[in-house]
C-alpha cells in the first residue's frame, strides 16, 4: 500500500496546483456569484430568462467548447486577453491563472444555483422590518440577508471547489497540459493513461482526487448544518 502514498515531485505539484486553482476559482467566483444570484432571485426585468440561461450554459455545453470560447476571448490575441495583458500585465492563456478562470466558469452555475435558492427562501418580511427602521438596503443585506443565506453560500462555494477539482475539458483546451504550470489532477491522470506503465500513477492521483472532493462535500454538509442549527438557536 506504500506505493499509493509514494508520489513523485511532479505528482505532488499536480495535487498542490489543483488545490490552488480550485481555491482561487472558488474565492474569485463568490462576489459575482452572490450578485448574480441576488439579481436572479429578486430582479424582475426583461432578459432575466436569457441571463439565467447564460449562467447555466457551462452545465450544458461541452467543456471543450467553453475552453475554446475562453481561448478566443482571453487568449493573447483575444479582445479581453490582449487588453488585460497590455494594460495590466495579466495573462491567462497557458498559465495557472487561466486554469483558475476556466474552473471558475465551469463551477459558477453550481454556486449561483445554491445561493439563489437560499436567497429565495429568505422571509422578505424580516428585511422589510429592518427597512422600516431606517436601515439602507446595503446594511440590510449585509446584516440580515447574508447571515440567513450563509448555509447556501457555503454549499455553493464547496460545490464550485469540487467542480474545479475535477475540471478537465475546458482547462486543457484553454491552458493546455504543462507540467508544474497548468497540469492539474485530471490532466496528470490523463497523461499517465497515455504512457506505458502509467497505471500506478493514474490510480494514485485518482484516489487522491476522490478523497479531496469527498472531503470537500462532507465539509460543506457539516458546515451548512452547524450554521443552520446556530441560526435556529439564535
Amino acid at each position: 500500500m506504500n506505493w499509493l502514498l509514494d508520489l513523485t515531485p511532479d505528482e505532488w505539484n499536480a495535487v498542490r496546483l489543483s488545490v490552488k486553482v480550485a481555491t482561487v476559482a472558488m474565492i474569485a467566483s463568490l462576489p459575482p456569484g452572490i450578485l448574480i444570484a441576488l439579481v436572479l432571485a429578486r430582479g424582475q426585468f426583461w432578459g432575466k430568462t436569457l441571463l439565467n440561461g447564460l449562467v447555466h450554459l457551462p452545465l450544458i455545453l461541452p467543456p471543450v467548447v467553453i475552453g475554446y470560447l475562453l481561448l478566443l476571448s482571453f487568449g493573447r490575441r483575444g479582445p479581453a486577453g490582449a487588453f488585460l495583458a497590455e494594460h495590466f500585465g495579466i495573462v491567462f492563456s497557458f498559465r495557472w491563472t487561466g486554469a483558475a478562470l476556466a474552473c471558475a466558469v465551469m463551477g459558477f452555475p453550481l454556486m449561483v444555483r445554491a445561493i439563489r435558492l437560499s436567497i429565495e427562501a429568505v422571509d422578505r418580511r424580516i428585511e422589510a422590518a429592518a427597512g422600516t427602521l431606517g436601515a439602507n438596503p446595503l446594511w440590510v443585506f449585509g446584516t440580515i440577508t447574508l447571515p440567513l443565506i450563509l448555509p447556501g453560500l457555503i454549499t455553493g462555494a464547496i460545490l464550485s471547489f469540487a467542480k474545479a477539482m475535477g475540471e478537465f475539458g475546458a482547462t486543457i483546451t484553454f491552458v493546455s497540459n504543462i507540467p508544474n504550470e497548468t497540469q492539474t489532477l485530471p490532466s496528470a491522470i490523463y497523461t499517465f493513461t497515455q504512457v506505458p506503465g502509467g497505471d500506478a500513477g493514474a490510480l494514485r492521483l485518482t484516489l487522491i482526487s476522490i478523497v479531496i472532493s469527498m472531503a470537500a462535500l462532507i465539509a460543506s454538509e457539516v458546515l451548512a448544518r452547524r450554521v443552520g442549527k446556530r441560526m435556529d438557536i439564535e
Side-chain angles (χ1 to χ4, degrees):
M1 293 295 292
N2 291 334
W3 65 274
L4 288 175
L5 301 177
D6 190 20
L7 272 66
T8 65
D10 285 343
E11 291 170 4
W12 276 117
N13 285 334
V15 174
R16 285 192 291 265
L17 181 62
S18 292
V19 174
K20 177 182 177 180
V21 164
T23 302
V24 170
M26 176 187 68
I27 295 174
S29 297
L30 274 173
I34 295 173
L35 178 61
I36 295 297
L38 184 62
V39 169
L40 292 176
R42 301 284 177 81
Q44 297 295 332
F45 55 92
W46 183 90
K48 180 179 178 179
T49 302
L50 178 61
L51 176 61
N52 184 62
L54 289 175
V55 168
H56 290 87
L57 206 57
L59 292 179
I60 302 171
L61 288 175
V64 174
V65 174
I66 299 297
Y68 182 63
L69 292 175
L70 288 173
L71 186 61
L72 291 178
S73 302
F74 291 93
R76 289 183 178 273
R77 297 182 180 180
F83 177 82
L84 291 173
E86 180 179 352
H87 295 281
F88 300 100
I90 300 175
V91 178
F92 287 108
S93 58
F94 307 110
R95 301 284 181 86
W96 75 267
T97 50
L101 175 61
C103 289
V105 171
M106 295 302 297
F108 195 67
L110 300 176
M111 176 181 287
V112 171
R113 181 66 176 172
I115 299 174
R116 178 184 179 181
L117 291 175
S118 293
I119 294 176
E120 291 176 343
V122 172
D123 189 345
R124 300 293 298 274
R125 292 174 296 181
I126 300 176
E127 298 172 319
T132 59
L133 297 176
N136 62 67
L138 186 60
W139 188 90
V140 172
F141 179 80
T143 59
I144 296 178
T145 309
L146 195 59
L148 290 175
I149 67 172
L150 195 55
L153 199 63
I154 294 173
T155 300
I158 299 299
L159 286 175
S160 173
F161 176 88
K163 175 64 175 176
M165 286 295 300
E167 175 50 40
F168 174 70
T171 302
I172 200 170
T173 304
F174 182 34
V175 297
S176 189
N177 182 14
I178 307 172
N180 301 325
E181 180 63 38
T182 65
Q183 189 177 74
T184 56
L185 275 172
S187 300
I189 293 171
Y190 173 77
T191 300
F192 274 122
T193 63
Q194 303 302 304
V195 298
D199 293 344
L203 181 57
R204 283 196 296 268
L205 294 184
T206 297
L207 293 176
I208 290 174
S209 181
I210 293 173
V211 169
I212 294 176
S213 297
M214 282 300 299
L217 293 175
I218 293 173
S220 168
E221 185 70 18
V222 172
L223 287 173
R225 286 184 179 180
R226 286 185 178 180
V227 171
K229 288 181 180 180
R230 183 177 300 177
M231 291 172 57
D232 291 339
I233 294 175
E234 295 176 353

